[in-house]
Amino acid sequence: MGVFHFKQFSVDDSHCGMKTGTDAVLLGAWAEVKGFKTIVDAGCGSGIIALMAAQRNSEARIIAIDINAEACKDTQINVAASPWSERVEVVEGDILSLFPAATAHPLLIISNPPFFNEALRSPDRDRALARHGEEFGVGSLISLAAAKFDSPADSLAFIAPTERNDEIEFLLSLSRLSPTRKTLIYSRPGKASIRTLWHASLERPGIEATRTDTLYIRNADNEITPEYMALTSPFYLDK
């Protein structure tokens, strides 16, 4: 699609299977990133979420991982041109078998994972892998977090279609993870929720109930809502 300019960095996604979109911006702006020593962007694509995390957390070691060599090239270029090139590491490989060693905790794993499961596949292999999650999807992301977490402060943040909420609750429970925060995303009033933003951590006795809220992108007059503007204003260029 080209180069996207944000307030403090730019993103070129020319070689990525999935292009820069609202899902990634929502997750990168919404996720709680403060206080983590390591942030791993799982399936980083163009690196937009890793760069958003670097902008919001000035202390963390940030590792952007993707199995696709061309996507990693885009990320490397984007990181090198950013103000945080010394703090963001780009790794090409399968995160399920190549998770960063000597990871400092608290750890945040953040991901805009593949979640489409339609029978019809894209003829473009890179786009198909990015969209359909044949090698890496929500289920494997949750299993990965459960295997790597060793601190109650560790957290998993991701975005998925709202229609999969029941399935995700079940998968989290199987992996002994608990949702701690959840935001339902609506395109506008009167429409069904299209996405859900998730934070999850290790189950522990006495944990507080999940904090659940909603976010509308546009209002009934098809105008961007103040809430969405406030969330994304640190990143989007002023119009």
Side-chain angles (χ1 to χ4, degrees), residues 8-222:
Q8 296 190 37
F9 62 91
S10 295
V11 170
D12 184 344
D13 62 5
S14 300
H15 302 98
C16 295
M18 283 302 290
K19 303 305 182 183
T20 302
T22 302
D23 285 357
V25 175
L26 275 168
L27 178 61
W30 173 90
E32 297 169 1
V33 301
K34 298 292 181 66
F36 293 99
K37 293 183 178 179
T38 307
I39 298 174
V40 176
D41 180 0
C44 64
S46 63
I48 180 173
I49 292 174
L51 290 169
M52 293 176 78
Q55 178 177 325
R56 298 176 59 206
N57 183 329
S58 61
E59 305 296 329
R61 173 194 180 199
I62 298 171
I63 305 163
I65 304 179
D66 203 289
I67 198 170
N68 183 275
E70 294 302 313
C72 286
K73 288 179 183 178
D74 278 350
T75 302
Q76 288 168 344
I77 292 170
N78 296 333
V79 167
S82 79
W84 313 289
S85 57
E86 295 183 358
R87 289 200 298 114
V88 182
E89 176 185 356
V90 183
V91 177
E92 179 191 339
D94 181 357
I95 192 170
L96 300 178
S97 59
L98 191 67
F99 196 83
T103 302
H105 295 259
L107 163 68
L108 171 65
I109 299 176
I110 186 169
S111 183
N112 177 16
F115 45 64
F116 290 89
N117 294 310
E118 305 97 333
L120 182 63
R121 295 292 189 256
S122 167
D124 183 314
R125 183 179 182 276
D126 290 342
R127 184 171 175 82
L129 287 176
R131 284 178 61 85
H132 297 288
E134 293 165 335
E135 275 75 13
F136 177 69
V138 173
S140 51
L141 174 67
I142 291 171
S143 297
L144 174 71
K148 300 302 179 181
F149 287 178
D150 67 7
S151 163
D154 292 340
S155 188
L156 169 65
F158 62 98
I159 186 169
T162 298
E163 64 190 27
R164 295 188 66 178
N165 280 7
D166 290 344
E167 174 194 357
I168 288 169
E169 293 271 6
F170 178 69
L171 291 172
L172 289 171
S173 178
L174 281 181
S175 295
R176 299 188 180 279
L177 298 176
S178 293
T180 56
R181 183 182 174 211
K182 185 167 63 174
T183 297
L184 302 176
I185 305 298
Y186 295 83
S187 60
R188 67 190 64 188
K191 301 286 187 179
S193 174
I194 53 174
R195 297 285 187 269
T196 301
L197 293 158
W198 297 82
H199 253 293
S201 63
L202 291 171
E203 288 183 346
R204 57 188 188 270
I207 190 170
E208 296 180 358
T210 306
R211 290 176 291 154
T212 302
D213 56 17
T214 59
L215 175 67
Y216 290 88
I217 296 176
R218 293 182 178 273
N219 61 24
D221 296 322
N222 202 31

Side-chain angles (χ1 to χ4, degrees), residues 215-238:
L215 175 67
Y216 290 88
I217 296 176
R218 293 182 178 273
N219 61 24
D221 296 322
N222 202 31
E223 300 169 331
I224 297 294
T225 63
E227 294 77 15
Y228 181 74
M229 291 180 64
L231 180 66
T232 59
S233 64
F235 305 99
Y236 281 141
L237 293 171
D238 297 327

